[in-house]
Amino acid sequence: MDPVLSLRALNRAAMERQLLLRRTDLSVVEVVEHLFGLQAQTPHTWYAGLWNRIEGFDPLAASALLDKRELVRIALQRSTIHLVSARDCLALRPLLDPVTERGTRSTFVRKLSGVDLDELAVAGRALVEERALTFAELGKELAERWPGNDAHALSQVVRWLVPLVQVPPRGLWGRSGPIAHTSAESWLGNSEPPMAAEEMVRRYLRAFGPASVKDVQTWSGLTRLAEVFKGMDLVRYRAEDDRVLYDLPDMTLPSAEISVPVRFMYDFDNAFIGYADRTRFITPQALEVGGAFVKANVQWRLILVDGFTAGDWTVSTEKGTSTLTIHQWKPFAPADLREAEEEGARLLEFLAPGDRHEIAAVLGASRS
């Protein structure tokens, strides 16, 4: 019989592997590689994800790693923008190519007429390696060569055919810039052997496990990974709902009774997005309030209390005062609220160091 893991045990394991039980002394690159990338759809909110995990985190030092090309932002898992190390960018992109291909063929390739994809790849690569281009600029250039075709579709097909990184100043701390792209190969100037699917699964489990095949498929966007799991030396568990979960033989599990700190999570944290079954963090109450965020097209920023979603947080700024508001979906216990207020004050100091600061606590989600 496979050992059964309670929901609380899964939560504690995920908190530990996501470096949320306690902040780490690992370097920024080491943390990014351990987490197997951070979703970075927005240019800056991922900095809060690293602040959550690294003791004494310096956003300017992390920003410099983008300039030094040790970190990059590129479409990878689920064909969404992720912050990854240079090594993982070059190794993981070929493995995840089918994810981007699947969406690109169904949405954009069918809009093209008389376009040879090999020729498009060569032309697109030459253009972005001559100078970094936005998709609008790239599409305009390509449409001159293939008149009558949709310029946006042409640029998006190149996004699949050529690994494209977003170049600074986009993504730098305290700065902004156009969403301009060049090829990963020209930007990084070296190569890495493609990552095998087995190595990807091992890396995922080290950062997210124990987890199911479906969890890894949801995180990566790949399909048909069951055969990969069958060929690996893994230990098995069962969730309380009888789902089969896998883990690495050398990984231990923390006590389900260990206390965990209040955490303010950033909007696209993979701790939530990286699972098919998100109940190890997401409560039924979160599902109830989540509809209002979806309706408003707002990505929530969640507060974890005792490891589980208990509220969300917002920041507003007016006349030099930044206010972080703790939105309690139900009243926090007094000790939890004090801890949330203290952690919120530290987060606000990180996000708005030059402002006056206020912490507010209210009942109800920020969207309803």
Side-chain angles (χ1 to χ4, degrees):
M1 289 283 292
D2 299 327
V4 176
L5 298 178
S6 68
L7 185 59
R8 189 176 179 87
L10 287 175
N11 172 269
R12 272 30 182 184
M15 290 284 287
E16 182 175 66
R17 300 202 192 175
Q18 283 291 302
L19 306 179
L20 294 169
L21 283 186
R22 64 195 69 83
R23 288 181 168 91
T24 180
D25 292 326
L26 293 173
S27 72
V28 170
V29 173
E30 287 172 330
V31 168
V32 171
E33 289 193 335
H34 168 78
L35 296 173
F36 221 172
L38 285 82
Q39 186 156 337
Q41 289 293 100
T42 56
H44 300 119
T45 58
W46 54 268
Y47 285 94
L50 291 175
W51 174 86
N52 242 348
R53 293 168 165 93
I54 300 175
E55 189 69 42
F57 173 67
D58 180 357
L60 290 175
S63 182
L65 295 172
L66 284 171
D67 255 340
K68 293 190 289 187
R69 310 185 187 193
E70 294 181 42
L71 296 176
V72 295
R73 294 172 63 244
I74 182 173
L76 287 172
Q77 296 96 306
R78 308 178 296 280
S79 195
T80 56
I81 301 297
H82 274 68
L83 176 81
V84 293
S85 69
R87 288 186 294 267
D88 281 347
C89 167
L90 295 168
L92 194 53
R93 179 56 166 78
L95 179 62
L96 296 180
D97 181 73
V99 181
T100 303
E101 178 183 3
R102 184 170 63 242
T104 304
R105 283 192 179 278
S106 63
T107 306
F108 297 110
V109 173
R110 63 184 183 84
K111 295 182 179 180
L112 304 183
S113 177
V115 179
D116 182 276
L117 295 185
D118 290 335
E119 292 180 9
L120 179 59
V122 171
R125 179 181 291 275
L127 287 168
V128 297
E129 291 184 351
E130 180 179 353
R131 67 180 180 92
L133 298 173
T134 66
F135 284 134
E137 293 168 336
L138 176 60
K140 182 179 179 181
E141 295 269 6
L142 294 169
E144 292 178 0
R145 178 163 176 177
W146 285 281
N149 281 283
D150 181 83
H152 181 63
L154 288 166
S155 70
Q156 292 305 296
V157 175
V158 171
R159 178 182 181 267
W160 155 46
L161 297 172
V162 181
L164 296 179
V165 299
Q166 291 189 12
V167 301
R170 187 77 174 178
L172 297 183
W173 180 253
R175 298 176 61 186
S176 189
I179 308 175
H181 307 82
T182 190
S183 72
E185 296 87 349
S186 66
W187 183 249
L188 298 175
N190 59 347
S191 62
E192 291 283 336
M195 186 178 294
E198 292 81 0
E199 176 62 15
M200 181 196 72
V201 170
R202 280 189 288 269
R203 291 275 303 275
Y204 173 88
L205 291 175
R206 198 165 294 279
F208 292 88
S212 68
V213 174
K214 192 174 181 180
D215 288 328
V216 185
Q217 292 182 161
T218 296
W219 167 83
S220 66
L222 293 171
T223 58
R224 302 176 182 176
L225 291 179
E227 289 301 315
V228 176
F229 275 73
K230 287 180 182 179
M232 298 178 65
D233 178 22
L234 300 172
V235 295
R236 284 172 44 128
Y237 298 98
R238 294 271 176 176
E240 291 176 319
D241 61 3
D242 209 37
R243 282 176 296 118
V244 177
L245 307 172
Y246 297 90
D247 205 4
L248 300 174
D250 63 337
M251 296 299 290
T252 59
L253 302 178
S255 168
E257 302 310 313
I258 191 172
S259 61
V260 300
V262 171
R263 287 289 187 237
F264 287 72
M265 307 296 286
Y266 83 100
D267 47 7
F268 287 100
D269 204 300
N270 270 341
F272 309 126
I273 303 172
Y275 296 100
D277 185 285
R278 301 174 183 176
T279 56
R280 68 186 70 198
F281 288 113
I282 304 294
T283 62
Q285 187 182 18
L287 299 179
E288 291 176 10
V289 304
F293 289 86
V294 174
K295 185 177 180 180
N297 196 29
V298 172
Q299 189 71 20
W300 56 12
R301 293 181 288 185
L302 297 169
I303 302 173
L304 301 181
V305 175
D306 192 32
F308 294 93
T309 51
D312 65 280
W313 60 279
T314 57
V315 173
S316 59
T317 301
E318 184 177 358
K319 297 180 180 180
T321 298
S322 288
T323 301
L324 185 148
T325 301
I326 298 165
H327 299 270
Q328 307 163 84
W329 298 342
K330 290 181 180 178
F332 291 2
D336 291 333
L337 183 56
R338 284 194 300 272
E339 184 182 352
E341 289 172 337
E342 292 169 358
E343 181 73 352
R346 288 188 287 267
L347 176 57
L348 196 54
E349 179 62 37
F350 169 74
L351 294 173
D355 290 357
R356 295 182 298 274
H357 298 151
E358 293 184 359
I359 302 296
V362 300
L363 285 178
S366 62
R367 298 281 172 170
S368 59

